[in-house]
């Protein structure tokens, strides 16, 4: 089966930085786009940032200017650099990858930002 392996979550203080990584296994074929979604307690899962294989990006308004998504197509890996973290960024962050047939989800990694 396809695998998405996430790393980089943890605890940070407001104003700090974290870098999330997600690597898709080679068994996930022809990935079109990868991205990050998050779900905070009591909230619906929301898109944070998405990047296509061609390099175009989309960001949630709440993170634009603070977060940067990037990718390495040869490694099927996506990164999320999170700067100027706020307590409102606290959530479980999920990696996503899609091809023309299916979408795949990682298990999620907890990001907690304290005041």
């Amino acid at each position: 089966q396809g695998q998405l392996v996430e790393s980089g979550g943890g605890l940070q203080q407001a104003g700090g930085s974290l870098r999330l990584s997600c690597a898709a296994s080679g068994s996930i074929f022809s990935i079109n786009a990868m991205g990050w979604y998050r779900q905070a307690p009591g909230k619906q899962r929301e898109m944070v940032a998405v990047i296509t294989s061609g390099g175009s990006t989309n960001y949630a308004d709440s993170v634009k200017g603070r977060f940067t998504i990037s990718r390495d197509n040869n490694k099927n890996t996506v990164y999320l650099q999170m700067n100027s973290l706020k307590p409102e960024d606290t959530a479980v962050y999920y990696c996503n990858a899609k091809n023309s047939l299916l979408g795949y989800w990682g298990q999620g990694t907890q990001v907690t930002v304290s005041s």
Side-chain angles (χ1 to χ4, degrees), residues 41-93:
K43 302 293 185 180
Q44 189 174 2
R45 187 176 297 189
E46 64 176 350
M47 186 272 289
V48 177
V50 174
I51 186 166
T52 70
S53 59
S56 63
T57 59
N58 285 300
Y59 294 93
D61 289 341
S62 59
V63 308
K64 196 168 186 177
R66 299 187 297 119
F67 292 7
T68 303
I69 189 169
S70 59
R71 42 84 206 177
D72 184 335
N73 287 338
N74 291 332
K75 297 180 179 180
N76 282 343
T77 301
V78 65
Y79 308 93
L80 186 67
Q81 180 67 46
M82 304 185 293
N83 297 327
S84 301
L85 284 164
K86 302 176 179 180
E88 309 93 88
D89 297 318
T90 296
V92 178
Y93 284 69

Side-chain angles (χ1 to χ4, degrees), residues 17 41 112:
S17 297
T112 302

Side-chain angles (χ1 to χ4, degrees), residues 9-58:
L11 306 174
Q12 261 294 349
Q13 294 184 326
S17 297
L18 285 171
R19 181 174 170 88
L20 306 183
S21 300
C22 174
S25 70
S27 63
I28 303 177
F29 302 112
S30 301
I31 293 174
N32 304 128
M34 299 184 72
W36 292 94
Y37 297 71
R38 69 186 182 186
Q39 187 165 17
K43 302 293 185 180
Q44 189 174 2
R45 187 176 297 189
E46 64 176 350
M47 186 272 289
V48 177
V50 174
I51 186 166
T52 70
S53 59
S56 63
T57 59
N58 285 300

